[in-house]
Amino acid sequence: MRDPETARDVRGRPVSERPARRTFGLATTIRGRIFVAFLGMSLLSGALGLYAVAAISHIGTLINRTYDESLMSINYARATAADFAKMQAAYARRMSRRDPTEIAKLDAEIAALSTTLAEDLTIAVERSQSARAVRSAGAVQAAVAAWEEMRRGIDPSTARPERWEALDQRAAVVDNQIDLLVNHTAGDGFTFRQAARMLVAWEMRLNAVAAGIAIGACALIAWLLNRRISGPLAAASAAAERIASGRLDDGIPAGGRDELGSLLRSMAAMRDNIRAMMAREVSQRRRAEALVTDAVQTSREAVVIVDSAGRIALANAQALHVFDGLEAAMEAGICLTMPPSGRPESEQIADCFRALSQDGDSRLADGRWLRVSRSATQQGGFIAVCSDISLLKEQEDRLTQTNLRLDAALDNMSQGLCLYDAQNRLMVVNRRYGEIYGLSPGTVVPGMTTLEVMNASLVAGNHVGQDLETLLRQQGEAFQNGAWRTHFQELSNGRVVAIDRRQTADGGFVATYEDVTERRRAEARIAFLAHHDMLTGLPNRLALGQQIEAAVAQAGRDHGFAVFAIDLDDFRPVNETLGHGVGDELLAAVANRLTACVREIDCVARLGADEFIIVQRGIDRPEDAAVLARRIIEVVSAPYSLSSHEISVGLTIGITLAPSDGTSCEKLLKNAEVALDRGKSEARGAFRFFEPEMDARLQARRILERDLRDALAREAFEVYYQPIYSLDTDRICGFEALLRWDHPVRGFISPAEFIPIAEELGLIVPLGEWVLRRACEEAARWPDGLKVAVNVSAVQFTSASLVTAVREALRRTGLPGRRLELEITESVLVANPGATTAILHSLKALGVRVAMDDFGTGYSSLSYLRSFPFDKIKIDQSFVRDLCMKDGTDFIVRAVIGLGASLGMTTTAEGVETEAQLAQLRAEGCDEVQGYLFSRPVPVSEVTEVIHRWNGTCRAIA
């Protein structure tokens, strides 16, 4: 056998004695062959890529030239045509003007267009690709110059028709020359496109051929490389498999001069070394087995060795003493894996086998406890070391029960607990303490001093801005006169901890920690809510009364204060259409803006809903209150960007001054409310100061509200009808239903006065449904060709019962849906477009026609005409009134009528009072009209007479 310490080559020479010279050339090594192969393939790929890049660059240059020159030349040629067309249009407008200023402005415009045309034509020539395009551009320039010269020579006041015809002919020549220029530039672009296509096709064929050649060359190189490497590599792999399987006596073939040959020689040396190491290991193992056997037999622990088959191979004397009958079981060859029913064994042997079958503690049948530790052997068996732990187990059981009871009590405490000994070292800490202070498990452990525990809390960030000395000083302040009092510690995260401490008999102490944050917050919240509004956090009515009483007590002869009553305009539609969540968000935003408008000495309070109160202290004159009121209106009226909507809301303010207007809270609040109501009735979005006569008006308003409720309960209203006249048939085609209220004392009250009150009181929905039913009942008795139009307010339209009310009215009266028109204003559409669309489609499904009333008075009617299914648009009477005046109103009316005709909608003009207005509307193509020219609104009893007057004979209406 060769010496394992010395590696030798296949010739028997030591490897270290090989001459240190280079024996291989680059071409004879595997690395060199692979390098040459990959170098050749890389050169082929690089050459192919460079060629492709050059071809693409060439094509890109041609394409850029096509775009930059040909396409740009076409665009500027077309721009020349547009410039000349604009010059003609501007010259035409100049001929129709008489104002010197306008004529000068149009001359300047024509001159600027002439300059632009020359510039566009110059660029078209610069970008052109042929001489014919250049010649065409020169012809265009000459034609334009000729047209310009002829145009300047024409006097609009004296020019004869022949001059104008000659000018038109010149313009036609210019157009023809420009068309010729466009055609030439387009032809140039087509020529370059064809050249680009041919070049692309040629380059694609060349690239395909080059790619095929490169693929073939790479395949040949790969085949040659595989041929030179595969054979020697297979021989080396077979030799490695023989060595791995333990056949160390098989021969290993000699290799060549490359790396594989060197690998085969190295494998032969490795085989010899392995054979020598195995012999040495066998000798060492035999000596180790003898030492292990001696150690096992003399061990104080029971040691049992089990082979891979599950049989006990060895048991020391201590094991034979612990397990009775173990020696007999060894001689019988009983297997541990044998089923219990198949092995004849005593109860002691069964205990032994159960104990040896797993790691851990096992209790024998006689009550003893064994701790078994198993270690696997290389042969698949294991060694089991058994220790008698019966006494230790009994002590552990007693200690475990005690600890479990103590741990359960500590971990289930609602308070944190720390127990310290007489040396101020921590003995016990429960889980709750770490939770209160946000400490991770293991941060505070027994053995730490009080200073270390405090420092751990500091490191955890519980006391930002404080140090250890500060915590010690606070602790000392809590211990006064020999007794510990409860110390409240506020942590950096806002939590509040109540700390109590008690001395123990051994000189130590126990400290308990209770998180009282929620209790403190609840107490503070209760105290806060007793004097503040829950939604906005502003003072409530109780706190406001205290503020006003304090202001009254401080008010002197020279200084007083003002009380502002603030109410948001149109807040109810926000709640009804967008939901109370959006309304609450809006109220909170308004509260923030109001607070920002006042000083710290002033007070902002909320009494409920959208009603706010401001107490402005220390004012010398009413102008001070007016300044604040203007600032509030400006700030609060700005748009609000809420979480899901963009909302704008106005407000009205009532102001009372103290002590001149009163010295009690009730009186001042009442006066401010009176001024607020006066402001809302006269001009919303403004402020009003309290005046004594306002109280009387407020009482009158209250009486009107009461009478309105009573009139609705008694149905003490009337429906009047104003005819709608069709200009197409020259007949009355329907009537518009108008609500009237004949008050028993005040007589007829204008709808403009009581309808807003009905909307504020929430009476408009039942009132509107009553009008709808009455109009349908009376229209059902009219001739079949007449329709009835009913106005629907914004509040009524947002009601969920509108569609149901319309369906029920049609069903009960038998009126066909096609004879009912519902007129809505733009404010209905602004509130909630999604819900409005659904309601409009539901009404259309009933056959009802929908009209937009007061068209043109809103700010986005055109967008609604596109989004909603309207059948009619009504031109507001403000436009009709000024129709015959030369102020542009006729253009607006004409545009609306044309828009309606384009969209297939009927147009109705309101407020027609003169024959001139009627003639103008008929000439513009209006479909329907209504107004005093035909009839004032009449009660239902006079409808027959109106129909007979305009439509001829009419049967009596029952």
Side-chain angles (χ1 to χ4, degrees):
M1 180 179 296
R2 295 190 180 104
D3 186 1
E5 299 297 333
T6 304
R8 299 178 180 272
D9 60 14
V10 295
R11 298 181 180 179
R13 295 181 302 174
V15 175
S16 59
E17 296 179 1
R18 276 184 275 178
R21 65 178 182 272
R22 183 172 182 179
T23 58
F24 304 124
L26 181 63
T28 59
T29 64
I30 295 177
R31 288 175 296 178
R33 294 165 185 167
I34 294 175
F35 173 76
V36 172
F38 276 96
L39 180 61
M41 289 189 288
S42 299
L43 291 176
L44 288 173
S45 300
L48 184 62
L50 290 175
Y51 178 76
V53 169
I56 292 173
S57 176
H58 187 190
I59 294 172
T61 301
L62 183 59
I63 292 174
N64 287 336
R65 184 180 176 189
T66 301
Y67 175 78
D68 291 340
E69 297 180 0
S70 298
L71 296 185
M72 292 300 291
S73 178
I74 295 171
N75 290 338
Y76 278 98
R78 290 175 178 170
T80 303
D83 293 337
F84 184 70
K86 292 179 181 178
M87 289 175 63
Q88 289 180 291
Y91 182 67
R93 292 199 305 274
R94 182 190 182 282
M95 294 298 102
S96 63
R97 296 296 190 271
R98 296 295 180 266
D99 187 358
T101 302
E102 294 184 2
I103 292 175
K105 181 178 180 182
L106 289 172
D107 286 339
E109 181 179 350
I110 293 172
L113 289 172
S114 176
T115 303
T116 303
L117 184 146
E119 293 175 352
D120 292 341
L121 190 61
T122 300
I123 296 175
V125 170
E126 292 176 352
R127 301 287 180 138
S128 63
Q129 301 296 315
S130 64
R132 62 178 183 177
V134 176
R135 290 193 298 272
S136 296
V140 170
Q141 184 67 41
V144 171
W147 182 86
E148 281 281 338
E149 182 178 357
M150 180 175 290
R151 176 186 65 80
R152 295 189 186 97
I154 294 178
D155 186 357
S157 59
T158 60
R160 299 173 61 86
E162 294 81 2
R163 294 286 290 172
W164 293 111
E165 291 178 1
L167 182 64
D168 291 340
Q169 291 175 358
R170 286 289 183 181
V173 170
V174 174
D175 291 336
N176 291 334
Q177 292 298 334
I178 292 176
D179 291 341
L180 184 61
L181 174 62
V182 172
N183 292 334
H184 287 170
T185 55
D188 293 342
F190 178 78
T191 301
F192 272 93
R193 187 186 66 176
Q194 292 299 108
R197 285 183 174 178
M198 294 176 62
L199 180 60
V200 170
W202 172 252
E203 294 295 343
M204 289 178 63
R205 288 193 294 271
L206 286 182
N207 273 279
V209 172
I213 295 173
I215 292 173
C218 291
L220 177 61
I221 293 173
W223 179 77
L224 293 174
L225 184 64
N226 179 68
R227 181 179 179 184
R228 297 298 300 270
I229 296 177
S230 299
L233 187 61
S237 177
E241 288 180 358
R242 289 194 297 272
I243 293 175
S245 63
R247 291 182 292 173
L248 302 179
D249 295 330
D250 291 351
I252 297 176
R257 299 176 60 189
D258 55 13
E259 288 92 339
L260 288 175
S262 177
L263 176 62
L264 290 172
R265 291 188 292 273
S266 299
M267 291 174 65
M270 180 178 65
R271 178 199 60 187
D272 297 340
N273 292 337
I274 291 174
R275 199 154 43 190
M277 291 172 61
M278 289 181 61
R280 186 168 61 253
E281 183 179 355
V282 169
S283 176
Q284 292 175 352
R285 182 174 297 179
R286 289 174 180 172
R287 291 195 299 270
E289 288 178 353
L291 294 174
V292 169
T293 301
D294 183 61
V296 168
Q297 292 297 336
T298 58
S299 174
R300 299 178 59 182
E301 307 292 339
V303 179
V304 179
I305 300 177
V306 180
D307 60 17
S308 59
R311 295 181 177 82
I312 300 176
L314 176 66
N316 65 352
Q318 185 66 21
L320 297 177
H321 174 72
V322 171
F323 302 109
D324 294 338
L326 182 60
E327 186 174 3
M330 293 173 55
E331 294 176 355
I334 298 176
C335 182
L336 294 178
T337 59
M338 183 185 299
S341 60
R343 58 191 186 199
E345 57 187 16
S346 63
E347 184 177 353
Q348 292 82 1
I349 295 301
D351 276 352
C352 172
F353 281 18
R354 280 196 299 272
L356 297 177
S357 62
Q358 60 184 359
D359 278 336
D361 299 342
S362 178
R363 189 171 186 178
L364 302 181
D366 57 4
R368 290 180 300 159
W369 280 91
L370 292 180
R371 176 163 295 166
V372 180
S373 176
R374 299 186 358 156
S375 302
T377 61
Q378 295 181 351
Q379 291 76 23
F382 63 89
I383 300 174
V385 179
C386 308
S387 304
D388 191 341
I389 58 170
S390 301
L391 180 60
L392 179 62
K393 204 70 175 177
E394 182 179 355
Q395 294 173 349
E396 287 182 354
D397 288 343
R398 289 196 300 268
L399 183 60
T400 299
Q401 292 299 324
T402 302
N403 290 337
L404 287 176
R405 287 192 292 269
L406 180 59
D407 291 343
L410 293 176
D411 287 340
N412 287 280
M413 290 178 61
S414 61
Q415 300 172 328
L417 181 140
C418 290
L419 175 63
Y420 292 89
D421 60 14
Q423 287 74 37
N424 290 334
R425 289 195 172 274
L426 183 64
M427 299 174 60
V428 177
V429 60
N430 67 348
R431 174 178 51 84
R432 181 58 181 160
Y433 176 82
E435 294 175 352
I436 291 175
Y437 284 94
L439 303 175
S440 59
T443 302
V444 176
V445 295
M448 297 176 63
T449 64
T450 55
L451 296 180
E452 291 173 339
V453 173
M454 290 183 181
N455 188 64
S457 182
L458 283 170
V459 172
N462 291 317
H463 313 283
V464 176
Q466 299 180 355
D467 54 14
L468 194 58
E469 294 182 359
T470 304
L471 296 181
L472 291 174
R473 185 178 64 256
Q474 294 175 354
Q475 178 177 300
E477 292 173 353
F479 188 73
Q480 296 178 353
N481 300 326
W484 178 272
R485 61 182 179 85
T486 302
H487 169 52
F488 293 95
Q489 186 179 66
E490 184 173 354
L491 306 183
S492 299
N493 58 5
R495 312 295 293 181
V496 179
V497 180
I499 305 175
D500 279 312
R501 180 166 153 176
R502 296 290 182 272
Q503 296 293 328
T504 58
D506 60 354
F509 65 92
V510 58
T512 58
Y513 305 83
E514 182 180 3
D515 189 343
V516 296
T517 306
E518 297 304 326
R519 186 173 68 193
R520 283 289 190 91
R521 289 177 179 173
E523 294 172 353
R525 183 66 175 168
I526 293 172
F528 180 82
L529 292 179
H531 295 82
H532 292 79
D533 174 55
M534 183 179 300
L535 174 63
T536 62
L538 297 177
N540 58 11
R541 186 179 295 273
L542 178 61
L544 175 64
Q546 297 173 355
Q547 290 283 343
I548 293 179
E549 291 175 0
V552 170
Q554 295 176 1
R557 179 177 302 175
D558 298 328
H559 296 283
F561 65 93
V563 178
F564 294 67
I566 302 174
D567 187 78
L568 301 183
D569 298 335
D570 300 325
F571 176 73
R572 180 183 296 174
V574 175
N575 266 345
E576 294 176 349
T577 59
L578 301 181
H580 289 278
V582 177
D584 291 345
E585 188 178 358
L586 175 60
L587 288 174
V590 170
N592 291 335
R593 292 191 182 183
L594 289 175
T595 304
C597 289
V598 301
R599 303 164 299 177
E600 293 183 359
I601 62 174
D602 300 330
C603 172
V604 181
R606 177 176 178 240
L607 299 188
D610 59 338
E611 184 178 1
F612 296 87
I613 300 294
I614 290 180
V615 178
Q616 182 187 18
R617 294 190 178 187
I619 63 173
D620 298 327
R621 49 192 183 141
E623 288 77 4
D624 297 335
V627 171
L628 177 59
R630 293 189 187 95
R631 182 165 66 248
I632 291 174
I633 292 174
E634 178 183 0
V635 172
V636 177
S637 299
Y640 294 83
S641 295
L642 304 183
S643 57
S644 57
H645 294 83
E646 184 82 15
I647 297 176
S648 294
V649 65
L651 72 161
T652 306
I653 303 176
I655 307 173
T656 185
L657 301 176
S660 58
D661 293 337
T663 57
S664 67
C665 177
E666 294 76 9
K667 181 66 174 176
L668 292 171
L669 289 179
K670 178 184 177 183
N671 291 345
E673 291 287 346
V674 169
L676 174 63
D677 290 341
R678 179 65 178 275
K680 292 172 62 177
S681 63
E682 292 183 350
R684 293 194 175 195
F687 63 91
R688 289 299 302 268
F689 283 93
F690 171 77
E691 299 172 1
E693 61 271 14
M694 288 182 179
D695 199 10
R697 296 187 182 183
L698 178 62
Q699 297 301 324
R701 164 68 182 260
R702 297 289 184 258
I703 294 173
L704 183 60
E705 292 177 358
R706 182 197 63 194
D707 294 345
L708 183 60
R709 294 180 187 274
D710 181 66
L712 179 60
R714 296 184 294 104
E715 296 185 356
F717 296 96
E718 294 183 65
V719 180
Y720 276 46
Y721 299 92
Q722 185 176 30
I724 304 173
Y725 193 81
S726 173
L727 297 180
D728 185 27
T729 61
D730 279 329
R731 296 171 60 86
I732 290 178
C733 60
F735 289 85
E736 180 179 359
L738 302 172
L739 183 63
R740 294 294 183 265
W741 180 21
D742 188 5
H743 192 274
V745 178
R746 299 177 53 184
F748 280 99
I749 300 178
S750 172
E753 182 177 355
F754 70 83
I755 289 296
I757 298 177
E759 291 180 345
E760 292 179 10
L761 298 178
L763 304 178
I764 193 63
V765 173
L767 184 58
E769 293 178 355
W770 179 85
V771 173
L772 178 65
R773 291 194 302 271
R774 179 61 60 87
C776 290
E777 289 174 1
E778 296 172 349
R781 297 191 288 269
W782 299 345
D784 185 63
L786 297 182
K787 59 190 175 183
V788 62
V790 181
N791 290 281
V792 180
S793 73
V795 177
Q796 185 182 0
F797 199 88
T798 56
S799 172
S801 62
L802 177 61
V803 178
T804 303
V806 173
R807 184 187 297 111
E808 186 64 18
L810 295 176
R811 186 190 65 79
R812 291 181 56 185
T813 62
L815 183 71
R818 59 182 172 78
R819 293 182 57 193
L820 175 62
E821 281 187 0
L822 297 180
E823 297 183 0
I824 64 175
T825 59
E826 195 172 322
S827 59
V828 174
L829 308 173
V830 174
N832 193 345
T836 301
T837 303
I839 294 175
L840 286 174
H841 283 291
S842 299
L843 294 174
K844 296 280 287 194
L846 299 176
V848 176
R849 293 167 56 84
V850 181
M852 176 185 280
D853 200 5
D854 300 334
F855 182 80
T857 59
Y859 61 89
S860 56
S861 300
L862 295 180
S863 64
Y864 295 136
L865 291 181
R866 184 184 61 183
S867 305
F868 297 95
F870 291 102
D871 299 291
K872 177 193 287 188
I873 52 178
K874 299 188 70 175
I875 305 174
D876 188 69
Q877 59 182 349
S878 62
F879 296 107
V880 177
R881 185 183 305 114
D882 301 331
L883 181 60
C884 297
M885 301 176 63
K886 300 300 182 180
D887 59 352
T889 303
D890 54 338
F891 292 110
I892 298 176
V893 173
R894 184 182 305 131
V896 174
I897 294 173
L899 178 64
S902 301
L903 296 177
M905 299 179 183
T906 302
T907 54
T908 301
E910 298 179 302
V912 179
E913 299 180 356
T914 65
E915 292 289 348
Q917 294 172 347
L918 178 62
Q920 182 76 10
L921 290 170
R922 189 187 296 274
E924 297 295 349
C926 187
D927 299 309
E928 299 173 352
V929 293
Q930 65 181 104
Y932 287 176
L933 180 62
F934 300 94
S935 173
R936 291 177 176 272
V938 298
V940 67
S941 59
E942 300 179 16
V943 169
T944 302
E945 179 184 350
V946 174
I947 296 175
H948 179 76
R949 185 192 314 153
W950 292 99
N951 292 5
T953 57
C954 176
R955 64 178 178 82
I957 298 176

